[in-house]
Every structure is written in C-alpha cells, then in structure tokens.
C-alpha cells in the first residue's frame, strides 16, 4: 500500500526515524553493557555510576568491534575490549591507550534517551531534533497514572515488520479465532465498534453487556462472578505504542469496583523485518500473582508473534504481485494509523529536502 509515495504495506513498511521508540526496560540497563538492534542500528546501552542511562552506536570506529562485546564501563565511559579505546557518554573518544590525541573521527553516534517509569525511550533520528513532546502520554496510557499498578517485563522479539505487530494489536477481530476463546466469548469480530482519532491517537472501542467471563480473564482480573459488562478499547499512538484496555463490571456484584486492566505496548522496529514488543501490564488494582500474570500474558501474546513471523516469512517468499492486501471495514483503525505514520515519514523527507537546498 503506497501512501503519497511511501510504502506502508506491512511486510516492508517504512518507519519514521525522528521519533521515540522503547529501547529497553529500565531494569535491563545496568553497568554491564547491553547490546540491542534498534531501528536498524547496533546499539549499546549502559548506566553511569549516578544511574544515568546511555545509548551509543555499538561499533568501535578503530577496528570495528562491538563496544558491548566484552566492553567495560569505567566511570561514565565505556572501554572497547579490543584496543582499550574509551568513549564518553557523548560518544567521543576520550582515551587512546596506544597514543595520540582523540580526533572527531574517533567517535560514535549518541542516541538521546528518556526514562519514564520502567521504560527507556531512545530517539532514532537526528539528535538535534529530539522532542520529548512526541512521546506518548504515559499518564493517559495508565503507566504513570495515580491509582494504577504497573508490571514491567514482557519483551517479545518478532521476526516481522513492525507494522504487523502494531496493527495486530489494534485489530480485535482476530481474538476469537487466533486465541481460541482464551480472552473473549466468541463475540468480538462481528460486534459494532466506534473509531475515533485525536492527533496521533486512533481509538477502536467496543461495548459488551452481560457476557460470560473466559477463565483466563476471570483469574487475571480477579473477578468473582461469571458474567460482566465489558468495554474493549484499543488505542494506537503512531508510530510506536498501543494500549489494549479492557474494563469489567461484575454484573453479579454491583458493589465491586470496576476493573480497568491494560496491556501497554512499545512497538520498536529492530530492522526492516524484525521488531520488539515491550509490554507492561497496568491495572487499577494490585495483582496477587504478578509473576504468573506476566507468564500468562506471555503465552497468549506469543500466539500473535508466531502468527506474524509466519506471515512475514510467506510474504518474503512470494513475488510482490502475489502478496495483495485486501482490507475490510474493521481495518479502519489500522488504515488511519498507517496514514499518520506516512505523514510523519513525509514530513521527515521534506525537512531533509529543505536542508539540502
């Protein structure tokens, strides 16, 4: 699918670089260097002694070893394990043990970072254009909202284009069929919905009355009764986040406070055909089984990952004229999100063209 000359067909969809993407959970980044492929770049992440996270291009410009490959954090700096050259948090060489003054060529790219709650966001594009205003609203998503409890730790790598993952989470109609009734009563695909858009946020909302509660949901949401009124509310924030929100009111116990349960996803392209889903479970009540809760959702979400990997593999095996895409009415949220992402990419291209003139 081409939108204003930008390829937005899942399987090979482009992504904007002047945006924030989740790079890691906060607990993953320590004084020990962490390697991760992010938006097509090898990146090393570490923390300085005062706890500040740092992200640099993970390749020493001297002879090409990854800084994360046996590298050592010394003070604020990281030392390459090959010839001992040290780089400061700005990416500039500050020590060459074999002699000579560091030059501007002996430097690596620095990625601006913002740490919010349990997530670390990295800016993929021009560091001079890093704009915190482009981060999604974490309080609106529930991650930092008062009265909510957040459980971080679900990282789901996928071997598929990032847009497959983003659109899969905005698409509720697959739930009944792919997940075999684990989290719904078999009534989602045909149910009417409302689609609204505000800025880069697209929302797909469905309301259900007095429906049976699937066993997994009953256990995860700590619902005592067998029937609930439910709202399934999916929000996408182009190009990097999705909220899957469900609210439950126990129809057999009106005195019970309604449950507001969300899985909030940071969607990060690792490359053209690979991505990460960094997920946090957010609830307006404390979980009595937090660790097993994450395990339950991991098993559920891996069904999506396996399916999307298979879709990408078949996409790659076929010629372009043999991979048509035919959308249906319920794809409205996904198509709106594609148009938002295409507009972001187009704005980047126009900015580059103006700078070149």
């Amino acid at each position: 699918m081409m939108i204003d000359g930008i390829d937005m067909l899942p399987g090979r969809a482009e992504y904007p670089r002047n945006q924030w993407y989740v790079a890691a959970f906060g607990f993953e980044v320590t004084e020990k260097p962490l390697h991760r492929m992010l938006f097509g770049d090898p990146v090393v992440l570490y923390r300085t002694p005062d706890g500040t996270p740092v992200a640099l291009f993970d390749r020493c410009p001297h002879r090409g070893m990854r800084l994360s490959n046996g590298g050592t954090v010394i003070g604020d700096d990281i030392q390459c394990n090959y010839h001992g050259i040290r780089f400061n948090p700005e990416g500039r060489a500050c020590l060459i043990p074999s002699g000579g003054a560091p030059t501007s060529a002996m430097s690596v790219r620095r990625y601006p970072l913002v740490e919010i709650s349990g997530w670390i966001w990295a800016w993929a594009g021009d560091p001079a254009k890093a704009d915190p205003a482009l981060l999604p609203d974490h309080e609106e998503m529930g991650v930092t909202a008062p009265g909510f409890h957040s459980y971080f730790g679900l990282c789901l790598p996928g071997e598929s284009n990032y847009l497959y993952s983003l659109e899969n989470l905005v698409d509720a109609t697959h739930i009944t069929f792919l997940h075999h009734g684990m989290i719904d009563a078999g009534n989602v695909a045909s149910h009417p919905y409302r689609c609204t858009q505000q800025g880069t946020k697209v929302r797909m909302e469905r309301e259900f009355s007095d429906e049976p509660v699937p066993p997994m949901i009953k256990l995860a949401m700590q619902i005592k009764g067998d029937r609930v009124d439910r709202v399934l509310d999916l929000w996408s924030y182009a190009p990097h986040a999705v909220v899957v929100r469900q609210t439950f009111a126990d129809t057999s116990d009106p005195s019970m406070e309604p449950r507001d349960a969300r899985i909030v996803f940071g969607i990060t392209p690792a490359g053209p055909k690979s991505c990460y889903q960094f997920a946090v479970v957010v609830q307006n009540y404390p979980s009595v089984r937090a660790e097993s809760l994450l395990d339950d959702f991991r098993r559920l979400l891996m069904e999506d990952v396996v399916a999307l990997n298979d879709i990408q593999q078949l996409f790659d095996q076929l010629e372009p004229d043999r991979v048509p895409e035919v959308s249906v009415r319920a794809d409205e949220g996904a198509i709106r999100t594609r148009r938002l992402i295409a507009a972001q990419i187009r704005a980047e291209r126009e900015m580059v063209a103006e700078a070149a003139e």
Side-chain angles (χ1 to χ4, degrees), residues 156 168 174-175 177-183 297-309:
L156 303 167
N168 172 73
H174 79 276
I175 291 174
F177 307 100
L178 184 62
H179 299 306
H180 310 289
M182 291 176 64
I183 54 173
F297 280 117
R298 183 183 301 277
R299 285 192 292 272
L300 174 75
L301 296 169
M302 279 304 299
E303 293 187 336
D304 296 284
V305 172
V306 170
L308 298 179
N309 289 353

Side-chain angles (χ1 to χ4, degrees), residues 24-38:
F25 294 117
F27 67 80
E28 293 183 286
V29 181
T30 67
E31 70 284 352
K32 181 179 179 179
L34 170 70
H35 170 79
R36 184 153 280 162
M37 287 297 300
L38 300 170

